[in-house]
Amino acid sequence: MNDAYDTLERRDPAEREAALLAALPAQIAHARDRAPALAERLAGVEPATITSRDALAGVPVTRKSELLERQRATRTSDVFGGHATIGWRGQGPGAGARRVFQSPGPIYEPEGTGGDYWRMARAIHAAGFRPGDLIHNSFSYHLTPAGSMMETGAHALGCTVFAGGVGHTELQLQAMAELRPHGYIGTPSFLKILIDKAAETGADISSVRRALLSGEAFPPSLRDWLAERGVDGYQCYATADLGLIAYETPAREGLVIDEGVLLEIVRPGTGDPVPDGEVGEVVVTTFNRDYPLIRFGTGDLSAILPGPCPTGRTQRRIRGWLGRADQTTKVRGMFVHPSQVAEVQRRHPLVRRARLVVEGEMAQDRMTLRIEAPADAPATLCDEVAASVREITKLRADVQRGEPGSLPNDGKVIEDARSYR
C-alpha cells in the first residue's frame, strides 16, 4: 500500500513548488477574465506578478460567507455567484456544467466534464483500493456532491461502485452480504452502524477489509475499533467547493496535501500566512478551470507538519482537522471578530501573538486580551493595546502580557470561556 498513485507523489519538493507557482499566473488571469466575482475581487492584481507564495499572500482571501452572500445576490442570473466559468442555458456562462449540487446554505457547486473531477482517486488509492475492486459507496447521491466525488474517483482508479447512498441500513447490509465488496467509502459513524447491525443480525460483511472515511471526525479510538474487526480505515479531507485537499497514508502521520492544490495556513480572520507548525486557517487555491477558487478560506484549522511522509510521498503534510477558524462571538451585544484581533496586532508590531478570552456569566461578560511580546517591550504597551481594542471593538478589555511562546498553539484567536448555566 506504500506504492504511489503516480509519479507526481514522489517529485522533488522544489520541482513541485516550482510547477504550482508557475501555474498560478495563468489560473489567476483565467479567473479574473472568466469569473465576474473574481474579476471584482482580483481588481488591481496583475496575474503575471503572482509567482511566489509571498505574492499570493497579497491576494484577498474569499471565505464561504462571502461566496454565499454573492450567490444569494445573483440567484436569478447566476447561481454560482460569478465564481464559476461554466453553467447551463440561462445560468452564468450558459454551458459546460454536467451536474449542479447544493450544500447547506444553500451554496451551489458545479461539476464539469473532466475525469476524476474532484481528484479523489489519489486518496482512494492511498486507502488501499486497487483496480478491479468493488467499493460500497455510502456517501449521499442526493443534493450534495459527496457521492459523485467518490464515485468519479473510484471509476478513475478502475474500481466498480455500488451506489449505496445514506440510510436504509438493512438494505445496505443485504447488498454487502450478497455483493461482497472489497471495501467501504462513507462516514465513519455509518460504517460503525453497519458493523454493529451486522453483528446483531448475523449478516456476513467480512469481505469489507478497507475503508476511506470522511465527512466527520475519525478518532484513533474508532480507527482501532475498526481494525479489531478487520477493517483498515483511512481518512481524507475534502470539501464540496474544492474537492480533495489532503489524504491519509499507511504511515498515519498527518494528511498528505493533494497534488492539485496550493495550500496555505493563515492567521484566522486574516490572509496572513503563519510559520510552519503554527495552527491557523486552511486556505486553498485550486487549478480547476471551471471553478477557479483563488485563496478560498475553508474555515478549518490545521497546521503544517515538518518533513516528508515516511511512505516516500514528498508533498507537504497537515495535521488534519483541528477545529473551526471562525471564532466570531457576541460580547455585551456586540460581535467581536478574529479580524479585529488581527487589526490590533497590526497596530502594535511588538505583539507577536494575541488571544482574546471572553469570560464571566451571561450579561456579565469581561474580555482579556492575552498577548505575547518581548521582555524589553515598553511598560506602556499594555495600555496602548487596550486603547486599540476599545477603538476597534468599541468594548473594553484588560491586557495581559506574556513571554513569546506562552500562548497555546491551537489556532484560537477568540476563546469563549463563559459559563452558560
Side-chain angles (χ1 to χ4, degrees), residues 17-82:
E17 185 75 355
L20 289 171
L21 294 175
L24 262 181
Q27 181 70 348
I28 292 173
H30 173 75
R32 187 191 61 181
D33 295 344
R34 298 286 302 278
L38 292 167
E40 294 178 16
R41 197 155 194 85
L42 299 172
V45 174
E46 177 49 56
T49 67
I50 311 301
T51 57
S52 68
R53 286 182 179 265
D54 286 344
L56 182 62
V59 175
V61 172
T62 297
R63 292 193 162 83
K64 194 178 289 281
S65 59
E66 296 166 318
L67 178 64
L68 174 59
E69 182 180 353
R70 177 81 186 207
Q71 286 197 3
R72 284 174 173 167
T74 62
R75 284 281 194 246
T76 57
S77 59
D78 186 349
V79 295
F80 303 125

Side-chain angles (χ1 to χ4, degrees), residues 273-311:
V274 300
D276 286 357
E278 184 170 330
V279 177
E281 181 183 7
V282 176
V283 169
V284 175
T285 295
T286 72
F287 296 90
N288 181 341
R289 305 284 281 182
D290 297 338
Y291 203 34
L293 297 174
I294 308 296
R295 297 203 87 203
F296 186 76
T298 63
D300 297 323
L301 294 174
S302 195
I304 296 291
L305 284 172
C309 179
T311 63

Side-chain angles (χ1 to χ4, degrees), residues 8-181:
L8 296 179
E9 293 184 358
R10 300 187 185 276
R11 281 184 290 179
D12 181 272
E15 178 188 346
R16 175 185 294 106
E17 185 75 355
L20 289 171
L21 294 175
L24 262 181
Q27 181 70 348
I28 292 173
H30 173 75
R32 187 191 61 181
D33 295 344
R34 298 286 302 278
L38 292 167
E40 294 178 16
R41 197 155 194 85
L42 299 172
V45 174
E46 177 49 56
T49 67
I50 311 301
T51 57
S52 68
R53 286 182 179 265
D54 286 344
L56 182 62
V59 175
V61 172
T62 297
R63 292 193 162 83
K64 194 178 289 281
S65 59
E66 296 166 318
L67 178 64
L68 174 59
E69 182 180 353
R70 177 81 186 207
Q71 286 197 3
R72 284 174 173 167
T74 62
R75 284 281 194 246
T76 57
S77 59
D78 186 349
V79 295
F80 303 125
H83 288 86
T85 65
I86 58 175
W88 58 90
R89 184 162 53 87
Q91 283 287 341
R98 177 169 59 184
R99 295 188 182 97
V100 57
F101 296 102
Q102 182 195 79
S103 295
I107 292 177
Y108 294 99
E109 299 96 11
E111 181 183 87
T113 58
D116 193 15
Y117 189 78
W118 309 87
R119 308 179 315 281
M120 292 303 309
R122 190 177 305 282
I124 297 170
H125 179 273
F129 293 95
R130 295 295 180 267
D133 284 352
L134 172 62
I135 295 174
H136 188 104
N137 183 13
S138 281
F139 273 117
S140 176
Y141 283 78
H142 176 62
L143 294 177
T144 63
S148 181
M149 290 169 70
M150 295 299 183
E151 179 166 298
T152 53
H155 288 165
L157 187 58
C159 298
T160 302
V161 176
F162 174 75
V166 297
H168 305 287
T169 304
E170 291 78 7
L171 288 175
Q172 297 219 36
L173 276 180
Q174 180 182 1
M176 280 185 167
E178 295 178 351
L179 296 176
R180 310 293 294 166

Side-chain angles (χ1 to χ4, degrees), residues 175-418:
M176 280 185 167
E178 295 178 351
L179 296 176
R180 310 293 294 166
H182 298 89
Y184 164 96
I185 291 180
T187 63
S189 61
F190 189 60
L191 178 56
K192 185 178 186 304
I193 288 171
L194 289 169
I195 292 174
D196 283 339
K197 190 69 173 178
E200 176 187 327
T201 61
D204 181 5
I205 61 170
S206 59
S207 67
V208 177
R209 305 308 300 270
R210 59 188 61 94
L212 179 63
L213 307 162
S214 194
E216 58 191 29
F218 181 44
S221 58
L222 181 52
R223 180 194 67 199
D224 295 343
W225 186 90
L226 291 175
E228 291 169 1
R229 287 152 181 82
V231 180
D232 202 13
Y234 294 87
Q235 60 185 314
C236 72
Y237 171 32
T239 72
D241 320 276
L242 300 162
L244 181 65
I245 297 174
Y247 59 97
E248 192 173 21
T249 73
R252 299 195 185 280
E253 295 184 11
L255 304 181
V256 177
I257 298 170
D258 178 50
E259 298 289 334
V261 301
L262 197 157
L263 183 146
E264 305 168 89
I265 304 291
V266 308
R267 184 164 290 109
T270 78
D272 305 332
V274 300
D276 286 357
E278 184 170 330
V279 177
E281 181 183 7
V282 176
V283 169
V284 175
T285 295
T286 72
F287 296 90
N288 181 341
R289 305 284 281 182
D290 297 338
Y291 203 34
L293 297 174
I294 308 296
R295 297 203 87 203
F296 186 76
T298 63
D300 297 323
L301 294 174
S302 195
I304 296 291
L305 284 172
C309 179
T311 63
R313 293 169 174 87
T314 57
Q315 174 64 296
R316 298 203 300 170
R317 297 170 298 153
I318 58 175
R319 285 174 55 187
W321 186 82
L322 300 177
R324 293 294 295 168
D326 185 3
Q327 299 151 27
T328 298
T329 191
K330 186 176 280 190
V331 181
R332 295 197 288 275
M334 303 271 294
F335 281 108
V336 181
H337 304 273
S339 58
Q340 293 174 309
V341 179
E343 177 59 26
V344 172
Q345 282 189 255
R346 274 191 283 269
R347 292 191 183 187
H348 302 277
L350 288 175
V351 176
R352 308 282 178 82
R353 295 172 66 204
R355 182 188 189 105
L356 186 68
V357 180
V358 185
E359 299 173 292
E361 298 180 355
M362 293 300 290
Q364 296 180 343
D365 303 329
R366 61 181 183 275
M367 299 197 313
T368 302
L369 185 68
R370 297 175 181 166
I371 63 174
E372 292 181 3
D376 59 356
T380 58
L381 178 62
C382 288
D383 290 339
E384 293 167 359
V385 170
S388 294
V389 173
R390 187 164 58 251
E391 180 182 344
I392 292 168
T393 68
K394 313 305 178 188
L395 296 164
R396 295 181 181 274
D398 293 329
V399 177
Q400 296 177 354
R401 186 184 68 81
E403 297 296 322
S406 59
L407 291 175
N409 179 24
D410 58 7
K412 282 191 178 180
V413 175
I414 300 176
E415 178 185 352
D416 191 343
R418 288 173 290 192

